[in-house]
Amino acid sequence: MVHPGKKAGWGHRSFMLVLMIYLLLPLIATSIYAFAREWQTTLLPEKWTLDWFRMMFEDVRFLDALWTSLYLCSISVALSLVVMLPTVFIISVYLPKWESFMKGIVVLPYAVPGVVAAVGLIRAYSSGPINIAGTAYILIGAYFIVVLPYMYQGIRNSLLTVSAVELLNSAEILGASRKKAFVSVVLPNIWPGVIVSTLLSFSVLFGEFVLTNMLVGGHLKTIQVYLYQRVGESGHLASAIAITYFVFILALSMVLMMLGKKMNRGTHG
Amino acid sequence: MKRRNRWVFLGLIPFAVMVVAFQLAPIISMLTGSVSKDKGAGFTFQFYSKILNSPFYLQAIKNSVLISVFSSVIGIVIGLVCAYSITRFSPKVRDRLLMLSNMTSNFAGVPLAFAYIILLGSNGVFTLLFQQWGWSVFADFNLYSWSGLVLVYVYFQVPLSILLVYPSFYGIREQWKEAASLLGASKWQFWRTIGIPVLMPAVYGTLGILFANSMGAYATAYALVGGNYNLLAIRIGSLVTGDVVNQPQLGNALAVILGLSTLLAVFLNHKMTKRSRMLQAVKEAS
């Protein structure tokens, strides 16, 4: 199905154009709205302004929400990293038989929608011995599960690409202890892959709304919850926030892609 | 590798604790919550029977299933045609197109609902423009209704669908096409007898993921219609967090139903990927 030399026909080209317009139109409209002083009954706004962005950065609640999002996501991703690195390492080096079992656990978050997970979490932790409903703890726990598939896959793939088991054995033959071999041989080699999964997890959590709103919506306002609350008030301000958010995510995925490419080059070349 | 160090297994404890505490315990708690009595101990199916006898909740289930089926089917059709179209471009353009499509999949949930409100909401830019231009075709369109929801759901299904079915087009070899045309098959005949059957496992599998994706979608619908449209995910949310009347156990039972449906859909995907791999293996062997 690959035609390297052939040029796509007009049909395919116009078709792709329609698809791109369809996919990009909401984004473009939101951007225009964020820069428009007023936009009604004309195809494009007549007056442009940066006021909405200025207002956004002067808004204390926005900055608070941004900070809340950043620290919640960072803590969760860091926790996931600290827990998952040794776990995936131990499983793939010592217990390869458990891998299919692990896969089952790890895909479960995909099959359980956020609403369902939130219902279970609320019931398990709103009364009884551990009452952490509405606190950051329950959310961080929930976030840990959300990024589980990304972290597991990412770390496992990088261990596989660097052939961690062989590396480890050679290090041992050369007289290094297991621990030393892990820290000074395996870890530096899998680092790029780990960074990619870290950033990916971060961007997934940054866009999370369901769990956040249902578990701690009344107490902790992340950027998504804040955006939801502003939608009704001023469309222009909310679109400035939405666009800023999107540009941030975009920058993050650009970094991701570049790192990914670099890594591939590193392993193949 | 023979020398096993028992202390190493201590490293698995934090993981086990986190998974048990935040994945298994909530699921078990939800399951038991849905079958235990309001007051006191005991086992009951009253919440499930209440749901099955309530036209309101049945409608929520029906609406969710319908919107998921509709948006998944439309999504897969668009996804298939687009993925095929993408394969016809040069590798450089192909990468760009895929990147753009993937990029838009980040634009989901609240920001997406918001963008559609700007475009097509009651004071939306296009709504007002069409009114001014007198295009009455769009006068009946209401973003906050069934058709609006389908439109927005399809939007977030398309990039996912392209991403998932695109690789399977590479399973179809150019030589097969040549062989078929040498044997006198028309383009249409090739697709009907070879191309589409080869794609089928991937299509079913992707349908499973798309279905689960839209059954569980909450943010977009919540931001768009609030509690005004009767969808399963929205009902669960309001029953548990208590926008109106707090009935957590009914919410538990509804959540179990929703969870079962998405599990089933993801299971279908799993089976189909296996079959797809088998087809691939047969191909490698031949």
Side-chain angles (χ1 to χ4, degrees), chain B residues 121-176:
Chain B
S122 40
N123 279 315
V125 174
F126 283 137
T127 317
L128 295 177
L129 268 180
F130 292 152
Q131 261 171 32
Q132 209 189 9
W133 293 343
W135 290 9
S136 55
V137 199
F138 298 98
D140 294 334
F141 179 79
N142 178 6
L143 183 66
Y144 312 101
S145 69
W146 163 260
S147 45
L149 276 174
V150 172
L151 190 72
V152 180
Y153 273 51
V154 167
Y155 180 86
F156 67 69
Q157 299 276 44
V158 166
L160 184 62
S161 163
I162 292 178
L163 183 75
L164 292 175
V165 296
Y166 176 74
S168 59
F169 274 99
Y170 281 84
I172 300 172
R173 301 248 172 94
E174 199 58 23
Q175 291 96 299
W176 300 356

Side-chain angles (χ1 to χ4, degrees), chain B:
Chain B
M1 289 308 300
K2 300 245 156 49
R3 184 173 52 95
R4 286 205 167 183
N5 190 340
R6 251 178 240 179
W7 293 102
V8 158
F9 298 102
L10 286 179
L12 292 177
I13 291 175
F15 171 76
V17 169
M18 288 304 280
V19 167
V20 168
F22 292 104
Q23 185 162 50
L24 299 183
I27 291 176
I28 291 165
S29 173
M30 179 179 73
L31 285 173
T32 54
S34 71
V35 292
S36 55
K37 282 191 178 133
D38 242 337
K39 287 181 187 74
F43 180 83
T44 174
F45 276 118
Q46 74 174 89
F47 300 109
Y48 289 99
S49 72
K50 198 170 173 184
I51 290 166
L52 294 177
N53 287 317
S54 147
F56 184 62
Y57 292 121
L58 285 179
Q59 192 206 22
I61 296 174
K62 194 181 127 202
N63 283 345
S64 273
V65 170
L66 276 181
I67 203 165
S68 302
V69 169
F70 261 78
S71 67
S72 308
V73 170
I74 299 173
I76 194 111
V77 170
I78 299 179
L80 275 171
V81 178
C82 291
Y84 174 66
S85 209
I86 290 174
T87 60
R88 315 303 292 184
F89 285 85
S90 66
K92 207 173 162 192
V93 182
R94 213 156 52 203
D95 283 353
R96 290 235 174 100
L97 289 170
L98 283 175
M99 198 193 78
L100 273 172
S101 146
N102 285 345
M103 181 187 94
T104 53
S105 68
N106 281 319
F107 200 60
V110 183
L112 176 66
F114 178 66
Y116 269 91
I117 293 171
I118 292 176
L119 282 172
L120 294 162
S122 40
N123 279 315
V125 174
F126 283 137
T127 317
L128 295 177
L129 268 180
F130 292 152
Q131 261 171 32
Q132 209 189 9
W133 293 343
W135 290 9
S136 55
V137 199
F138 298 98
D140 294 334
F141 179 79
N142 178 6
L143 183 66
Y144 312 101
S145 69
W146 163 260
S147 45
L149 276 174
V150 172
L151 190 72
V152 180
Y153 273 51
V154 167
Y155 180 86
F156 67 69
Q157 299 276 44
V158 166
L160 184 62
S161 163
I162 292 178
L163 183 75
L164 292 175
V165 296
Y166 176 74
S168 59
F169 274 99
Y170 281 84
I172 300 172
R173 301 248 172 94
E174 199 58 23
Q175 291 96 299
W176 300 356
K177 258 181 160 176
E178 283 158 15
S181 83
L182 278 178
L183 293 170
S186 68
K187 214 172 170 186
W188 164 241
Q189 267 176 325
F190 168 77
W191 280 108
R192 207 191 48 197
T193 53
I194 301 166
I196 292 174
V198 168
L199 288 177
M200 252 9 228
V203 169
Y204 287 129
T206 307
L207 268 178
I209 294 285
L210 293 181
F211 182 82
N213 189 34
S214 60
M215 277 301 277
Y218 173 84
T220 317
Y222 184 66
L224 200 60
V225 292
N228 296 327
Y229 198 80
N230 201 4
L231 286 174
L232 188 51
I234 302 260
R235 273 303 138 252
I236 295 169
S238 65
L239 277 174
V240 173
T241 53
D243 289 348
V244 203
V245 190
N246 214 342
Q247 279 180 290
Q249 275 150 317
L250 207 55
N252 281 325
L254 281 173
V256 171
I257 294 174
L258 175 57
L260 279 178
S261 76
T262 53
L263 261 177
L264 208 71
V266 172
F267 183 69
L268 173 81
N269 167 269
H270 179 72
K271 282 270 159 237
M272 286 300 154
T273 351
K274 257 194 184 159
R275 180 173 295 183
S276 175
R277 272 207 207 111
M278 244 157 62
L279 268 178
Q280 213 75 31
V282 170
K283 219 179 302 160
E284 306 288 296
S286 63

